[in-house]
Amino acid sequence: MIARPTLGRLAADLAAGRTTSRALVEEALARISDPTGEGSRVFVKVYTDAARAAAEAQDQLRAAGYAASPLAGLPVSIKDLFDVAGERTLAGSRALDDAPPAKADAPIVARLKAAGAVIVGRTNMTEFAFSGVGINPHYGTPGNPFDRSLIPGGSSAGAPVSVADGMAAVAIGTDTGGSVRIPAALCGLVGFKPTQYRVPRDGATPLSTTLDSIGPIGISVACCALTDAIMAGETADAAAPISPDGLRLGIPQTVMLEDLEAPVAAAFERAVSALSRAGVRITELPLEMLSDYARVNIKGGLPVVEAYAWHEKLIERRGQDYDPRIGTRIARGRDMTAAEYIRLLEARADFIRRFDAETATFDALVMPTVPMTAPPSAAFARDEDYARLNLKLLRNTAIINFLDRCALSLPIEPPGTAPVGLMVVGRHGDDRRLLAIGAGIEETLATETARR
């Protein structure tokens, strides 16, 4: 796990007077502006003056006895597809540089501000959020904190690096097919994808209106649980851990465990063994129905057709300004008929019914978040390699979006090795319980690591 202070630790330091919001924000801004660091590739816009002013205001409020939430006074980054009043929302593209400025903050931005969060800037992303890789030819690609020659994962590429490099205490991303969990897994952090309806998506540039969700990337499960609660408009708490002892966890065998890289397979096996020793009842589930996912989505699935519906006019006007790899994928959506789209929605509903029936008796499911560790950026030079590796990065996570389940990614790699994520999947709408289960798993695995 990345050795950075959690939100709980930072909030306690603020409450005890050991630090100030201004000091924390100045440290974050210094890291962003460091010419030897990743700041210029992590952020597409930095709110230097506004962040300092907000930090000063939070310090004054705290001195007067007011702290809106545990997030009050802490630096937070937001992905470059959320509306901020008075600004153009570019979504990692140059094709929207003539769009009208947003009239209001996106609801999640407004909720973060109301909770006292200090938004330090907008993080870089795959153009229009349409890739699990994280490469952006317009604004550069942030280097992975484990090894700067590796990809950070996407589409929320700048988000994990902002947290790992101390530029933000927590980052807000979006997840349509894994765009929070993939970069969290590849960068050694925790990422949470909520059940879609949980967090309002208004004011966020859409990719797939059916699958898009908004989630945090942080140092711990508690960091993600606290931030999720604020974005969902609930009481800001971190969800007390549920002991793994006696939990029933299922491991899907079909698709999810296929073609794993050796470090991923080894880390996953160690994590499962540790949970079993802690009293978890592990069951291997054939779940052969998961092999239907590729067939059902043979034409690119919901993201392709729903993205094309949003982009059609923009492509006509500014298509030459798109990353060709993104534009080509979006353009596939013109080939899907209305009848095919309706049948796809019906097939999804049936897929969910069958999956729910086969997993109803389990508290959660566990599997590798991504079947590989982060590849080098150089591996994506050829279009065919980009397409192949992108599909593999998205493979496990995208199925969970299709099912509209909530899911966590937790780091499980041995210290000093390339990051590997463990995905813990909960039931639809059971987000807070999943976060509590995830916190218990996190504690168990940390204890196991400490014993080695």
Side-chain angles (χ1 to χ4, degrees), residues 349-368:
D350 178 64
F351 193 84
I352 291 172
R353 280 193 296 270
R354 289 188 289 147
F355 189 85
D356 288 352
E358 292 196 39
T359 60
T361 60
F362 293 90
D363 295 290
L365 307 175
V366 291
M367 63 211 74

Side-chain angles (χ1 to χ4, degrees), residues 51 66 84 93 174 242 279:
Y66 294 92
V84 174
S93 180
T174 60
I242 291 176

Side-chain angles (χ1 to χ4, degrees), residues 178-430:
S179 290
V180 161
R181 289 160 292 153
I182 293 169
L186 297 187
C187 293
L189 294 164
V190 178
F192 177 59
K193 172 234 172 300
T195 307
Q196 193 200 37
Y197 71 79
R198 179 173 177 74
V199 177
R201 292 165 292 119
D202 308 296
T205 305
L207 174 56
S208 166
T209 52
T210 302
L211 303 177
D212 293 344
S213 57
I214 297 171
I217 296 175
I219 296 296
S220 68
V221 174
C223 294
C224 289
L226 172 62
T227 309
D228 165 76
I230 288 169
M231 292 194 295
E234 299 179 355
T235 301
D237 65 54
I242 291 176
S243 171
D245 188 15
L247 289 179
R248 291 200 65 193
L249 300 183
I251 302 177
Q253 301 296 294
T254 306
V255 177
M256 300 294 191
L257 300 185
E258 295 172 4
D259 193 25
L260 300 181
E261 283 189 356
V264 176
F268 180 68
E269 177 59 34
R270 281 192 299 270
V272 170
S273 296
L275 293 174
S276 181
R277 287 192 293 272
V280 175
R281 291 180 289 169
I282 304 286
T283 302
E284 295 182 348
L285 301 173
L287 283 176
E288 294 173 357
M289 59 157 292
L290 291 179
S291 62
D292 292 342
Y293 173 80
R295 176 186 57 78
V296 168
N297 290 275
I298 191 65
K299 282 199 165 186
L302 294 165
V304 165
V305 66
E306 292 180 344
Y308 184 71
W310 192 90
H311 283 270
E312 182 179 13
K313 297 300 182 184
L314 184 61
I315 288 174
E316 289 176 3
R317 187 170 61 84
R318 298 288 302 270
Q320 73 280 3
D321 296 315
Y322 279 55
D323 174 355
R325 287 169 166 172
I326 303 303
T328 299
R329 291 187 72 200
I330 293 172
R332 290 181 62 195
R334 68 164 61 98
D335 298 328
M336 188 179 293
T337 67
E340 288 172 327
Y341 177 62
I342 291 169
R343 286 196 291 270
L344 176 56
L345 292 175
E346 292 172 344
R348 182 194 187 214
D350 178 64
F351 193 84
I352 291 172
R353 280 193 296 270
R354 289 188 289 147
F355 189 85
D356 288 352
E358 292 196 39
T359 60
T361 60
F362 293 90
D363 295 290
L365 307 175
V366 291
M367 63 211 74
T369 308
V370 184
M372 65 177 90
T373 57
S377 297
F380 296 85
R382 299 192 309 166
D383 288 348
E384 56 266 39
D385 291 332
Y386 183 101
R388 173 180 56 82
L389 290 169
N390 181 51
L391 284 176
K392 189 169 182 179
L393 287 165
L394 291 161
R395 187 192 72 190
N396 288 7
T397 53
I399 292 175
I400 305 306
N401 292 80
F402 196 68
L403 291 162
D404 196 14
R405 293 288 188 108
C406 51
L408 272 168
S409 181
L410 308 175
I412 57 170
E413 69 278 1
T417 63
V420 174
L422 173 72
M423 185 158 57
V424 188
V425 179
R427 298 189 185 95
H428 175 95
D430 211 9

